[in-house]
Amino acid sequence: MRLRLPEERPTEPPTGYKIARPVLSHDGTRAGFTGVSLGGALPYGVLDEARCVYGRRHRAPHRRCDCGFHCVHDRATAEALLCTAEHRGAALLEVTVLGAYIRFERGFRYARQRVRTATLPPCACGAAAPLLADAGWGRPGWRVVEAVCGRCRGGRRALAVAEFGRLAGEGLRVVAAAPSPYIGEGAGLGMPELMAEAALLQARLDWFQEELARFTGDQRG
């Protein structure tokens, strides 16, 4: 006897939450996301259809495979995943579950999805991050980008958060999270920090002048 799963016919598509890494195509014309676990090898667009990561020809989600998009029911559950070291730079996505899906205790495995909102984390320094810069790694044809502030961007290629949303298309809403609550009010350098930076630079300059004088034979100081 063949076991049949219960069927649901919701009046509107379910909503779910997941985490993913923002990606930018190698030519800079498209934006999307890549998963943080099993589906990390297959970047996807804002509106996309799941494919089997094992290359099998069945349609996702297949009951005897673990292919398909994955999400959880509760936003707090997805946010908790961002606490682990390997996921600190990931974005929190709010998605609409489309097509066939299999319901689990904590979420869905499903065929199609639309990413409605992407919430980017603060910069690694704790400040709000209005930019997305090259993270230094990626997938074939795609560069992973990470949320950064202007000070931490350095000389890396970067684009504004709003521009990422435009390239992603399909009405994606991209939100920069508030600064980290652990860095106090006013992200960035205050007067004490600026004075410490200036003292460090002056010390380095004094050392450089001493070394230069040693090599040139100028001992006047």
Side-chain angles (χ1 to χ4, degrees):
M1 184 176 69
R2 184 177 178 181
L3 179 64
R4 295 180 60 87
L5 295 175
E7 294 185 1
E8 297 184 31
R9 298 187 182 277
T11 57
E12 59 183 32
T15 294
Y17 301 89
K18 63 194 302 182
I19 63 173
R21 295 276 185 173
V23 294
L24 189 66
S25 64
H26 70 283
D27 57 3
T29 61
R30 293 174 295 157
F33 301 94
T34 187
V36 297
S37 57
L38 180 65
L42 299 174
Y44 54 86
V46 173
L47 178 62
D48 214 334
E49 185 169 344
R51 292 160 287 165
C52 180
V53 295
Y54 303 109
R56 296 168 183 166
R57 296 183 179 180
H58 57 237
R59 301 178 66 177
H62 196 278
R63 284 194 299 170
R64 296 184 179 180
C65 185
D66 52 7
C67 60
F69 290 124
H70 295 72
C71 72
V72 295
H73 300 302
D74 184 59
R75 182 187 180 97
T77 302
E79 289 176 331
L81 299 175
L82 298 172
C83 295
T84 61
E86 63 270 27
H87 298 155
R88 288 290 178 94
L92 176 67
L93 308 184
E94 179 183 326
V95 302
T96 298
V97 176
L98 301 172
Y101 62 81
I102 299 173
R103 181 187 289 271
F104 295 93
E105 181 181 359
R106 293 189 176 183
F108 300 98
R109 181 160 64 91
Y110 51 103
R112 299 179 66 239
Q113 75 178 5
R114 179 187 294 274
V115 182
R116 297 205 304 253
T117 305
T119 302
L120 303 177
C123 179
C125 72
L131 302 171
L132 286 163
D134 190 342
W137 61 283
R139 310 295 185 194
W142 297 88
R143 296 186 180 92
V144 172
V145 290
E146 60 183 358
V148 296
C149 65
R151 181 162 56 94
C152 295
R153 168 193 176 182
R156 291 181 292 171
R157 296 175 57 183
L159 73 162
V161 168
E163 178 65 9
F164 181 88
R166 186 188 70 79
L167 292 175
E170 298 291 344
L172 174 67
R173 179 170 172 258
V174 185
V175 179
S180 171
Y182 301 107
I183 63 172
E185 296 183 1
L189 296 178
M191 183 58 69
E193 290 83 2
L194 288 173
M195 293 178 64
E197 289 285 341
L200 178 60
L201 289 174
Q202 184 62 53
R204 296 291 294 174
L205 179 60
D206 291 343
W207 174 86
F208 177 78
Q209 289 177 334
E210 291 175 0
E211 291 295 302
L212 184 62
R214 184 167 64 86
F215 281 106
T216 60
D218 186 0
Q219 302 296 328
R220 293 175 296 175

